[in-house]
Amino acid sequence: MALSRCFNIEDVRRVAARRLPKGLFNFVDRATEDDLARDRNRQAFRDLTFLPRTLVDVAARSTETELFGKRHAMPLAVAPAGPAGLFWYRGELELAKAAARANVPFTLSTYSTTTMADIAATGATVWQQLYFWKDRALTYGIVDRARELGFGVLVVTVDTAVLGQREYLQRDRLMPPWGPTLASCAEMLLHPQWLAGVALRYLATGGLPRVVNMPQPGQDLTAEEIASRTSLCQSVTWDDIARLRERWPHKLLLKGIMREEEAERAFALGCDGVVVSNHGGRNLDSAASTLDALPRIVAAAGGKGSVLLDSGIRRGSDIAKALALGAHAVLAGRAPLYGVAAGGEAGAYHVLSLLQSELDRTMALTGCRSVAELTRDLIAEGRTETDHGA
Ligand SMILES: Cc1cc2nc3c(=O)[nH]c(=O)nc-3n(C[C@H](O)[C@H](O)[C@H](O)COP(=O)(O)O)c2cc1C
């Protein structure tokens, strides 16, 4: 199916499923254990409904919004996702180019396979995501490089003390002990577009992508030492965030906040925003949906900083619902990844355009001329006696 025949994110997802070997498609599409949190995120969006405003002149309307001092086409940023380069040749670069073209921020993962400088050269507004590794010097190296390159936002992911239990990756040996299985080799052969356009192209141009923020094995460090130093740190606390606040002079967001008192603490420490996120359901399978967690966090934030949300964005109306419940913006993870897997930059751009036009249509149909008019009284379930709509 050509991109022009993809009328929604689900269509793009289906193209991605056809192009990628099954193990890789599972890597982007699935979550953890029984995928309950992933599905719960979606169900929460499905269950929320609008009471639309009518007889409003919506002829002139705009999805534009300001995020951390910059004007963007819509209240959405591309979420960090390390392995985009496995889905398309230099996939992260393609995603960043699409974000630049669509005028939305692009969040670069700690596990990026593309250098920060190459991503900056796309002209995208780049936000840098940070995981704390056991080795603080290596971790701070990422922060300092982001600062040198003039990135304006650091997004610290705080919900991943350990990785989620992803049994499908174990089965496919897409996590240690890595290695091809008979089934995964057969899958590669059954997906010649991916094999030739991604895997063989890497092999012909210098080898498979590697995580650029990690040092290379050599005289100083063995591969085992590098793996140990760059493993996720399980003892990150608020003290680390306070130290980071001193080191990083620009906007600081905590991603993975689901509790209101933690949002309060983040703002008290000088953070500029929190991302209400359960990592797309990829970590704790019994996590609440982010949409359910959002209203209390918005109330606790009390305007002291920005509240963003991710996990489950597949429609423009999802963005509208998150904003109506008080979020300033959303992040989208899988949707742009489906796009890049389906068609590189063009695929990712198509996804961002679909989301924007769906948001625009939702605004028109709910009587909103600007994203600021997406307010709580539009939500049927949240409406109270005192809501009378603007
Ligand atoms: C393949 C994949 C890789 C991801 N890698 C990272 C990462 O490196 N850092 C991070 O903070 N979140 C990562 N995430 C989580 C996303 O940033 C985001 O929280 C999540 O995808 C949002 O849910 P959605 O996919 O339903 O939009 C990843 C998600 C996916 C699907």
Side-chain angles (χ1 to χ4, degrees), residues 135-189:
D135 186 316
R136 286 295 190 273
L138 287 177
T139 307
Y140 289 144
I142 300 171
V143 178
D144 296 344
R145 280 198 296 287
R147 189 176 166 173
E148 282 156 24
L149 282 164
F151 295 176
V153 179
L154 187 69
V155 182
V156 186
T157 304
V158 294
D159 61 8
T160 315
V162 297
L163 288 180
Q165 173 77 14
R166 303 178 188 166
E167 292 134 16
Y168 53 95
L169 293 183
Q170 289 174 321
R171 229 166 261 131
D172 283 321
R173 294 189 57 187
L174 280 170
M175 59 190 303
W178 311 88
T181 62
L182 206 57
S184 64
C185 289
E187 275 292 313
M188 284 191 238
L189 293 173

Side-chain angles (χ1 to χ4, degrees), residues 252-329:
L252 182 63
L253 314 187
L254 300 188
K255 172 174 179 281
I257 296 292
M258 294 287 283
R259 301 171 62 89
E260 55 268 39
E261 79 277 10
E262 293 187 0
E264 278 170 6
R265 191 156 178 188
F267 294 126
L269 260 180
C271 293
D272 302 280
V274 294
V275 185
V276 179
S277 170
N278 60 23
H279 220 99
R282 296 169 75 81
N283 284 351
L284 178 68
D285 206 23
S286 297
S289 76
T290 53
L291 209 57
D292 283 345
L294 179 66
R296 284 193 309 277
I297 293 183
V298 168
K304 290 190 282 293
S306 301
V307 178
L308 289 79
L309 170 139
D310 78 13
S311 302
I313 300 291
R314 302 288 185 278
R315 286 276 187 190
S317 57
D318 299 335
I319 308 173
K321 288 173 187 177
L323 263 69
L325 286 182
H328 292 91

Side-chain angles (χ1 to χ4, degrees), residues 86-140:
L86 295 175
F87 308 141
W88 191 270
Y89 180 73
R90 306 214 70 192
E92 262 178 324
L93 209 53
E94 301 290 299
L95 253 182
K97 285 194 262 177
R101 204 168 129 208
N103 186 21
V104 296
F106 172 80
T107 317
L108 183 61
S109 167
T110 296
Y111 290 109
S112 163
T113 55
T114 314
T115 65
M116 293 181 192
D118 282 350
I119 294 289
T122 62
T125 298
V126 189
W127 297 357
Q128 177 63 49
Q129 181 263 334
L130 188 76
Y131 280 123
F132 275 95
W133 283 335
K134 277 191 186 149
D135 186 316
R136 286 295 190 273
L138 287 177
T139 307
Y140 289 144

